[in-house]
Amino acid sequence: MPNEHWQYVYRLLLKVARVQKRKPGHPVTYSESVIVWLSLWGAYHQWPICELARQLRSHGWPKPIRSFMKIPTPSVSTLSRRFRKPEVIDVMNRALGSLDRGGTWGAIDGTVLPVGRYSTDAGARFGGKGTHYQRAYKLVDIVNQYGQPIAVKVVQGNTSELVAARWLINHLACVGRLMHTLVGDKGFDSEPLHRIVKKRIKGRLVAPVIKTRGRPRREGRRTHAVGGALRRACDRLLQSNWGSCWIRRRRLVERINGLFKQRPHCLYALPAFVRHIWTVERWVLSHAVLLSLKQVDHVVLNAA
């Protein structure tokens, strides 16, 4: 990635993070923008914290921000301690919101982040069919119509995608992001989720309806009626040609999740040094910011 992108994201982090000036006589402190930028730099090069600290100690500050830094580089203990702070996750979420190019519709989907069947990670769990019964985490994300991740959530492998979807929608509502249509697969077919999407982000959820969900299955293969007013409306939409067009648009989020699993992100199998839920969430959010940064218009980069 060229230096212009790294300098742009550093200026962006300075805007979204709270930067405090160092007072004379006080010890050196690192702002959240510097810590988050170093997390992005380490995630891009697939470095663990010890290797990132060694590179900083050997070569100094990276070239894109070397002219901005007048303080010594942080140690491995400082990086390890600061990376666990919840403020780092908050700054990354605000950075995703600042990189958002807008749009009237989006797509939601989940993908598996396996860690290995015999991993001793206490946070990883055996999931269902989508995980092939591996110990894994689960990434659930919402992308806009331009392919930028605007909301990302990492949960344990046995957690339902509906739980993560509620958190993502509430997050978009808190930052004031509205969306006309949200497209998902049949795993997001839920009448309460339809109501949350309509109430919180003023949109509609388009997801394939499971006719037997919430109904007794005592009558063999008989198709039951769809329960819920919003689910019935979604079912009528999907039976039309317009609904088929919306379902095809869900390929966008599948392509983005496929990019997460390719180089330079390589999230199909988490590295051995990325364990525990807070570390996995920081690692995935770092790659989400890097992936969203690639969609930024070149005119915006030149103006910055």
Side-chain angles (χ1 to χ4, degrees), residues 189 208-227 231-232 235 239:
D189 175 34
V209 178
I210 303 176
K211 300 297 181 68
T212 57
R213 174 163 289 182
R215 300 281 182 172
R217 301 186 181 183
R218 302 174 184 173
E219 303 179 16
R221 297 183 179 181
R222 178 181 175 183
T223 302
H224 300 279
V226 179
R231 292 183 67 213
R232 289 194 296 269
D235 188 35
Q239 293 177 3

Side-chain angles (χ1 to χ4, degrees), residues 168-182:
L168 294 174
I169 295 170
N170 290 328
H171 172 72
L172 293 181
C174 292
V175 299
R177 180 65 161 88
L178 303 182
M179 193 172 293
H180 179 267
T181 304
L182 183 63

Side-chain angles (χ1 to χ4, degrees), residues 185-215:
D185 58 8
K186 62 182 181 181
F188 299 95
D189 175 34
S190 170
E191 181 68 18
L193 187 61
H194 278 274
R195 292 196 295 264
I196 292 175
V197 172
K198 182 178 181 180
K199 180 180 179 181
R200 299 289 289 169
I201 61 176
K202 311 301 180 184
R204 63 180 177 182
L205 175 64
V206 178
V209 178
I210 303 176
K211 300 297 181 68
T212 57
R213 174 163 289 182
R215 300 281 182 172

Side-chain angles (χ1 to χ4, degrees), residues 52 87 139 143 179 243 263 288 293 296:
L52 176 60
E87 291 79 7
L139 163 65
V143 301
M179 193 172 293
R263 290 185 179 274
L293 185 63
V296 176

Side-chain angles (χ1 to χ4, degrees), residues 55-296:
Q55 292 288 337
L56 293 176
R57 184 173 62 254
S58 302
H59 306 287
W61 291 102
K63 185 177 179 180
I65 62 171
R66 187 172 299 170
S67 59
F68 303 105
M69 297 291 105
K70 305 299 181 183
I71 54 179
T73 57
S75 62
V76 60
S77 60
T78 301
L79 291 175
S80 179
R81 183 181 70 255
R82 295 293 298 276
F83 279 165
R84 295 188 181 187
K85 297 290 184 180
E87 291 79 7
V88 173
I89 304 298
D90 296 338
V91 172
M92 289 185 179
N93 286 323
R94 290 199 294 268
L96 285 178
S98 300
L99 292 171
D100 183 12
R101 295 174 57 185
T104 59
W105 64 274
I108 182 173
D109 196 15
T111 187
V112 178
L113 308 175
V115 299
R117 180 179 295 271
Y118 301 105
S119 173
T120 58
D121 185 6
R125 291 289 187 272
F126 283 97
K129 297 181 180 179
T131 63
H132 302 286
Y133 299 100
Q134 295 183 8
R135 293 180 64 88
Y137 292 93
K138 187 179 295 184
L139 163 65
V140 184
D141 57 336
I142 296 178
V143 301
N144 59 13
Q145 65 185 57
Y146 300 103
Q148 289 180 303
I150 58 177
V152 177
K153 183 65 175 177
V154 177
V155 294
Q156 295 177 344
N158 60 349
T159 304
S160 173
E161 293 180 350
L162 295 175
V163 177
R166 295 189 187 98
W167 184 94
L168 294 174
I169 295 170
N170 290 328
H171 172 72
L172 293 181
C174 292
V175 299
R177 180 65 161 88
L178 303 182
M179 193 172 293
H180 179 267
T181 304
L182 183 63
V183 188
D185 58 8
K186 62 182 181 181
F188 299 95
D189 175 34
S190 170
E191 181 68 18
L193 187 61
H194 278 274
R195 292 196 295 264
I196 292 175
V197 172
K198 182 178 181 180
K199 180 180 179 181
R200 299 289 289 169
I201 61 176
K202 311 301 180 184
R204 63 180 177 182
L205 175 64
V206 178
V209 178
I210 303 176
K211 300 297 181 68
T212 57
R213 174 163 289 182
R215 300 281 182 172
R217 301 186 181 183
R218 302 174 184 173
E219 303 179 16
R221 297 183 179 181
R222 178 181 175 183
T223 302
H224 300 279
V226 179
L230 296 178
R231 292 183 67 213
R232 289 194 296 269
C234 180
D235 188 35
R236 291 193 298 267
L237 174 65
L238 293 176
Q239 293 177 3
S240 63
N241 295 332
W242 185 244
S244 302
C245 295
W246 280 116
I247 289 300
R248 286 195 294 268
R249 291 186 176 184
R250 195 178 63 84
R251 300 172 185 173
L252 175 65
V253 67
E254 294 179 348
R255 185 170 71 249
I256 297 303
N257 289 341
L259 292 178
F260 272 125
K261 299 178 181 181
Q262 300 175 7
R263 290 185 179 274
H265 307 291
C266 303
L267 291 181
Y268 175 72
L270 292 174
F273 54 84
V274 180
R275 292 297 182 266
H276 304 293
I277 186 69
W278 59 83
T279 305
V280 176
E281 188 169 11
R282 177 190 61 82
W283 188 261
V284 172
L285 275 172
S286 300
H287 288 284
V289 174
L290 294 175
L291 185 59
S292 182
L293 185 63
K294 296 180 180 179
Q295 305 297 331
V296 176

